Amino acid sequence: MTHACARHSQVLRVWQQRGLGLPETLIAFTLMMVALTGLLSAHQQAKLLQLDASQRLQAVMALRELSLRWQLNSPAAASYRAGIAQGLSNAGNDFRCTQDSCSMSARAQADIAWVASALKGLARAQWQIQPCREWLADCLWLGWGSAASSCNGTRTPLRFERCLQWLLPP
């Protein structure tokens, strides 16, 4: 009988060891949730970085376009400066002017309005003309998001800030 009890006990131990117990299941589930939370966080961070890069590219392209238009219409430099001094929100929205039918001043205002409309997608965007630190010229400082108010030419912007410094044409 002892042999039969020992064999029965061995069969019970084998049966009890099959599958996962409640503690192992809870630990596995917790580890899986931590891993999924980490993946979700990494995905969210990647989306934010992509949005920042997209906004920076949008700002660079708009400022490049403004610079090119300014160079093509260089006699109206004072009109460009006056238009930028008004601020992005007051730049107007009429940019249908063509070279043939507009004065140089009106063309400059239309260019400013077009670039301002291209920058409307940037949250709390602000721009201003300030002297450049590196060059003996003026720079256009464009800031958006949380860096909008600190992007004013008093210091060099940090790499991660949403602030651009653009050398203006003479």
Side-chain angles (χ1 to χ4, degrees):
M1 194 113 173
T2 339
H3 183 62
C5 270
R7 187 173 172 98
H8 181 65
S9 172
Q10 189 179 21
V11 169
L12 282 177
R13 267 188 257 138
V14 170
W15 180 78
Q16 288 173 349
Q17 291 178 357
R18 288 187 191 160
L20 296 175
L22 182 62
E24 292 89 1
T25 304
L26 289 175
I27 290 171
F29 184 70
T30 303
L31 289 175
M32 187 173 59
M33 291 304 295
V34 167
L36 288 176
T37 303
L39 283 174
L40 184 61
S41 175
H43 177 70
Q44 185 67 22
Q45 185 67 26
K47 282 178 64 175
L48 289 174
L49 289 173
Q50 183 181 13
L51 177 64
D52 281 350
S54 173
Q55 288 178 338
R56 186 170 297 277
L57 179 63
Q58 178 184 1
V60 166
M61 302 245 334
L63 292 181
R64 181 177 175 264
E65 183 70 23
L66 176 64
S67 183
L68 290 173
R69 290 176 182 223
W70 189 325
Q71 288 175 350
L72 291 173
N73 192 12
S74 59
S79 297
Y80 282 99
R81 289 179 184 277
I84 291 171
Q86 292 176 1
L88 276 173
S89 58
N90 299 325
N93 57 6
D94 186 14
F95 47 87
R96 295 171 293 160
C97 186
T98 62
Q99 292 287 2
D100 297 335
S101 63
C102 293
S103 66
M104 286 186 264
S105 172
R107 179 76 240 158
Q109 289 300 321
D111 291 344
I112 295 288
W114 184 86
V115 171
S117 71
L119 295 173
K120 295 282 187 200
L122 303 178
R124 299 188 312 262
Q126 296 178 7
W127 65 7
Q128 57 183 308
I129 297 176
Q130 294 287 338
C132 295
R133 293 174 160 219
E134 297 85 10
W135 304 284
L136 296 175
D138 286 333
C139 283
L140 176 62
W141 291 82
L142 173 67
W144 65 96
S146 60
S149 59
S150 64
C151 184
N152 56 16
T154 57
R155 62 179 177 75
T156 304
L158 300 174
R159 185 176 60 91
F160 62 86
E161 287 183 309
R162 294 176 179 116
C163 182
L164 289 176
Q165 174 187 11
W166 196 266
L167 181 64
L168 291 176

